[in-house]
Amino acid sequence: MRHLLLASAALAFAAPAAAQTVAITNAKLVIGDGSQPVDGGTVVIRDGRVIAAGPGVAVPAGMRVVDAGGKWVSPGIFAGFTRMGIVEVDAVNTTNDASAGSSPFHAALDVAPAVNPRSSPIAINRAEGVTRAVVAPETSTGSIFAGQGAIIDLGTGGNGVSRPRAFQYMEYGEDGGQAAGGSRPAAIATFRNALFEVAAYQRAPASFLDRGKDALLTRADAEALVPVLRGTVPLLVHVERASDILVVLGLKREFPTLRLVLVGAAEGWMVASDIAAAGVPVMANALSDLPASFEKLAATQSNIGRMKAAGVLVGIGTLGQDEARQARWVKQYAGNLVALGRIPGAAGLDWGAAFATISSKPAEVMGMGADYGSLRAGRRGDVVIWDGDPLEIGSSALNVFIDGVEQPLASRQSRLKERYWEPKEGALPKAYQH
């Protein structure tokens, strides 16, 4: 059956262009909403959207049918925090669009035009079942605001951007304090001043004159922060220390329209009840358990399990974990949370909850759960057929659909493997064979 699936995929790889009407039957089906897998499941995709999924779902006449042969079928992975598609080589500034230290603009910066859907990491992560990703900019000295991030798809058609200007990203804690001038109080003062200026811009945009590159907030930055102050665009705040988290939650009380999302939150478990009470979701690293900085002294692998137990909505991201390339690691992290649940005294997750932290929960954290992350009716047709348990490190994706379009799984890595596995002499010098 694996050969049949691979052959089926190969036929579709030549030109993935239009959403297909397809039913995947006989699946060990993962809905992705936290429920456990069920055998004998079917998922039906039409016009790029899931129209039905579950056991006993009838297949409409005339559809292409893929028999999964009892294999695992799940929603595509929704990578909760990355810089994929905007960084090719970190050390080569001309290929790294994550930050702009010399620019007079900060909150106004928008990563969407910089996303390169043909960058090598996108093909590698797509082949491992990652179908969507949160792509965040990076702050630089001079402002706590990094700019506007995007949601990207990893498909081969289009420009790769599913939703531009999906959120604003800022730093607090150690990095935010340094960016603001040297301290956390400076970061808070910068934040308050910015929102006061945004309010002034809202009242009278025409009279808000641009104050030049030395201004605390340019006109373009003020304009970009308007939807943040109104609460129509979420504000992702990187914060790790428990006391810093409480300060950020206090900002929500001061500016109640803000839609805050905490990113990192290594000490979130210490103030989990406060986070839950504030209704603020979290995008956390899964296995951060080292005091890598003074703001992470109480980091523990039980962080996500304890926050979830307290009622916090948590998804997994890869902040500071080669986030430009290795979004695929979230599968391993989620699997480790399952194992952690079996260790006495530790707080992990059951299988369904762990998978949800890399599918529906990150989408819900971003306020996009109605579109992405699960196989509920109406969600985007992002579906993966696996050759085994997707949370096992040795499992591979056999077929990947994005918006109902079956995708190629070849990458530069796989082509290099083919080239050197059994090297052959050709008509051209080796340098010209690929």
Side-chain angles (χ1 to χ4, degrees), residues 154-169:
L154 279 65
T156 55
N159 64 6
V161 178
S162 303
R163 191 173 299 189
R165 299 179 293 282
F167 60 93
Q168 178 68 225
Y169 183 67

Side-chain angles (χ1 to χ4, degrees), residues 230-398:
R230 289 176 176 168
T232 56
V233 165
L235 176 64
L236 273 61
V237 184
H238 173 215
V239 59
E240 303 283 3
R241 195 171 75 181
S243 62
D244 290 340
I245 292 172
L246 295 178
V247 170
V248 173
L249 296 180
L251 293 177
K252 183 171 174 57
R253 290 191 294 274
E254 187 175 352
F255 301 94
T257 55
L258 292 178
R259 286 174 54 198
L260 290 177
V261 174
L262 306 181
V263 177
E267 294 186 352
W269 65 275
M270 301 178 71
V271 290
S273 59
D274 297 277
I275 300 172
V280 174
V282 176
M283 205 76 82
N285 284 339
L287 302 176
S288 174
D289 66 342
L290 296 175
S293 63
F294 282 103
E295 62 184 357
K296 298 180 181 177
L297 293 178
T300 170
Q301 291 184 350
S302 292
N303 188 35
I304 287 182
R306 290 175 182 173
M307 285 195 288
K308 182 179 183 300
V312 179
L313 172 60
V314 189
I316 291 179
T318 52
L319 178 66
Q321 298 175 317
D322 201 358
E323 65 266 22
R325 281 163 288 274
Q326 304 294 0
R328 56 185 177 166
W329 288 351
V330 297
K331 295 180 296 172
Q332 180 181 345
Y333 296 151
N336 286 343
L337 291 181
V338 177
L340 195 65
R342 298 166 185 163
I343 298 176
L349 301 174
D350 64 38
W351 197 98
F355 191 88
T357 60
I358 59 173
S359 56
S360 63
K361 298 310 176 187
E364 292 172 17
V365 166
M366 299 304 298
M368 300 172 187
D371 254 349
Y372 307 114
S374 73
L375 298 183
R376 292 298 181 196
R379 295 343 184 241
R380 298 293 187 95
D382 298 354
V383 184
V384 181
I385 304 176
W386 307 87
D387 65 358
D389 180 343
L391 300 189
E392 290 289 343
I393 193 170
S395 297
S396 300
L398 298 174

Side-chain angles (χ1 to χ4, degrees), residues 120-212:
S120 300
I122 286 186
I124 292 168
N125 282 276
R126 178 175 63 234
E128 298 227 21
V130 181
T131 56
R132 308 276 170 177
V134 175
V135 178
E138 193 171 357
T139 52
S140 53
T141 300
S143 178
I144 58 174
F145 296 104
Q148 302 163 97
I151 307 301
I152 68 167
D153 71 74
L154 279 65
T156 55
N159 64 6
V161 178
S162 303
R163 191 173 299 189
R165 299 179 293 282
F167 60 93
Q168 178 68 225
Y169 183 67
M170 68 166 270
E171 290 279 354
Y172 186 57
E174 293 181 354
D175 291 342
Q178 294 306 305
S183 73
R184 289 172 171 83
I188 290 298
T190 299
F191 181 82
R192 288 196 177 108
N193 180 72
L195 293 202
F196 292 150
E197 294 233 25
V198 172
Y201 174 85
Q202 280 194 110
R203 287 191 296 272
S207 62
F208 192 94
L209 300 178
D210 203 322
R211 299 137 195 206

